[in-house]
Amino acid sequence: MSDLLPGTTPSHPEPATLLTSDGVSIDAALLRGTATRPVAIAVANGFTGTWRNPGSRMIARSLLAVGDVMVFDFRGHHSSGGECTVGDREIHDLEAVVGHLRGLGYTRVATVGFSMGAAVAVRHAGTFGGVDAVVAISGPSRWFYRGTPRMRLLHFGVEKPAGRWFLRTARRVRVTDREWDPVPPDPTELAAAIAPAPLLVVHGDADAYFPVEHALRIHEAAREPKELWIEPGMGHAERAMTPERAERVARWLAARLDGASGPAPEGK
C-alpha cells in the first residue's frame, strides 16, 4: 500500500466516548496516520466483536493507507453502554461515529462493516446518508435467517435466557431480551438508497454463517455505483480477513475517496 500514501504508521489509539441520539455511550478510538488528510473511515465490527481484537486492529492499520480510522464497540459490547439489539438500534451508534468524524473536520467519511456491522453500515447509509462510500463484508441480506448451524446457534444465544447469560459472562456482550417492535427494514430494503455513494459488497464462498446468496441479494437491490466481490475460500467477517484482503479493500476505498478536499481535521 505504500504506493497510495507514504507514512501510514498508526499513532496510539486516541480514546473517545461518544453519545448516541438515544443516549447510549459508545467506546471508540481514533487512529491517525502520519500524514494530514481530510478522509476518515469508520469500522463496524460484527456481533460480539470489539475494536480491541488483533484482527480488527490489523484491518484498521490497513485502512490507514486511505485515511484516519475510527474503531468502536457497538452498544452492549464490552465497554460501550446499553444493550445490543443485534442490528436494529445500532444504526444510531454508527451515526454517532460518523457525526463525530464530521465534527472533527473530516470532509470524506466511509464506513466498513462486518457481518452485523455490514447490515448496520448498509442500513445506516440508506437511512441517514452522509457517507461517501460503504463496504459491507459478510453481511446478511435479511433478518431471522436460520439456514446454517452457526446461525441457529446464534439465534439461541440472543433469544434464550441461557444464551444471553453465556454471551454476557463469556463474551462481554449484553443482549436485550426485548423483541423488535417494529421490525426494522432489512439491508435489501435500504441498499438502493445508498446511491450515489458507491457500495462494495464482499462475501466469502466458504462463509459458515451466511451463504453467498445474501451478498447477491444486497448487490442486486443496490443501485449503481456498486461492486461485488465473491472471495474464493474466504470464511466469515473479521476472522476471515487477511492483510491482503484488507489492503484490497483499502485500494478500492482510495480510488473512490481520492477526490477529498477541504481543511485538515482538528488536532492535526
Side-chain angles (χ1 to χ4, degrees):
M1 293 297 288
S2 58
D3 57 326
L4 286 178
L5 183 72
T8 54
T9 302
S11 62
H12 291 293
E14 301 173 16
T17 300
L18 312 181
L19 190 65
T20 69
S21 60
D22 58 345
V24 177
S25 63
I26 299 299
D27 178 46
L30 180 64
L31 284 73
R32 301 182 191 263
T34 57
T36 297
R37 296 165 290 173
V39 177
I41 301 164
V43 178
N45 286 114
F47 179 61
T48 77
T50 172
W51 67 265
R52 292 176 172 82
N53 281 341
S56 298
R57 297 285 287 274
M58 177 277 291
I59 293 163
R61 287 194 299 271
S62 297
L63 295 176
L64 278 169
V66 184
D68 294 344
V69 179
M70 177 151 268
V71 289
F72 69 98
D73 287 347
F74 280 118
R75 63 182 61 204
H77 285 63
H78 302 269
S79 297
S80 290
E83 294 180 325
C84 176
T85 66
V86 202
D88 179 13
R89 304 293 293 177
E90 282 76 11
I91 61 171
H92 299 290
D93 306 352
L94 187 52
E95 175 66 359
V97 173
V98 170
H100 180 74
L101 292 171
R102 293 291 190 190
L104 290 177
Y106 293 98
T107 57
R108 289 269 182 161
V109 177
T111 56
V112 177
F114 296 87
S115 193
M116 183 186 81
V120 172
V122 170
R123 293 188 58 239
H124 168 268
T127 301
F128 296 110
V131 294
D132 299 285
V134 178
V135 181
I137 301 173
S138 304
S141 63
R142 61 187 186 274
W143 306 133
F144 308 116
Y145 176 74
R146 302 170 187 262
T148 59
R150 294 284 179 88
M151 285 306 298
R152 289 191 286 274
L153 181 61
L154 186 147
H155 277 85
F156 174 84
V158 301
E159 293 173 353
K160 303 297 184 181
R164 292 193 295 271
W165 174 85
F166 173 82
L167 289 168
R168 185 173 63 253
T169 56
R171 302 301 295 271
R172 295 186 62 197
V173 176
R174 305 171 305 280
V175 179
T176 182
D177 60 359
R178 300 182 185 90
E179 294 184 0
W180 286 343
D181 184 22
V183 175
D186 69 30
T188 56
E189 294 177 85
L190 288 171
I194 294 173
L199 169 67
L200 171 62
V201 180
V202 182
H203 212 93
D205 66 4
D207 192 313
Y209 288 81
F210 304 112
V212 166
E213 163 209 351
H214 287 264
L216 299 176
R217 292 183 76 244
I218 294 171
H219 182 259
E220 181 180 2
R223 300 204 314 263
E224 296 288 350
K226 61 182 179 179
E227 195 166 339
L228 173 66
W229 298 352
I230 302 301
E231 296 289 292
M234 177 179 167
H236 185 69
E238 298 98 319
R239 292 185 179 181
M241 290 295 286
T242 62
E244 294 75 21
R245 287 187 178 118
E247 289 173 5
R248 285 179 59 211
V249 170
R251 286 194 291 270
W252 185 90
L253 285 167
R256 284 144 189 87
L257 299 173
D258 63 3
S261 61
E266 295 175 9
K268 298 202 80 177

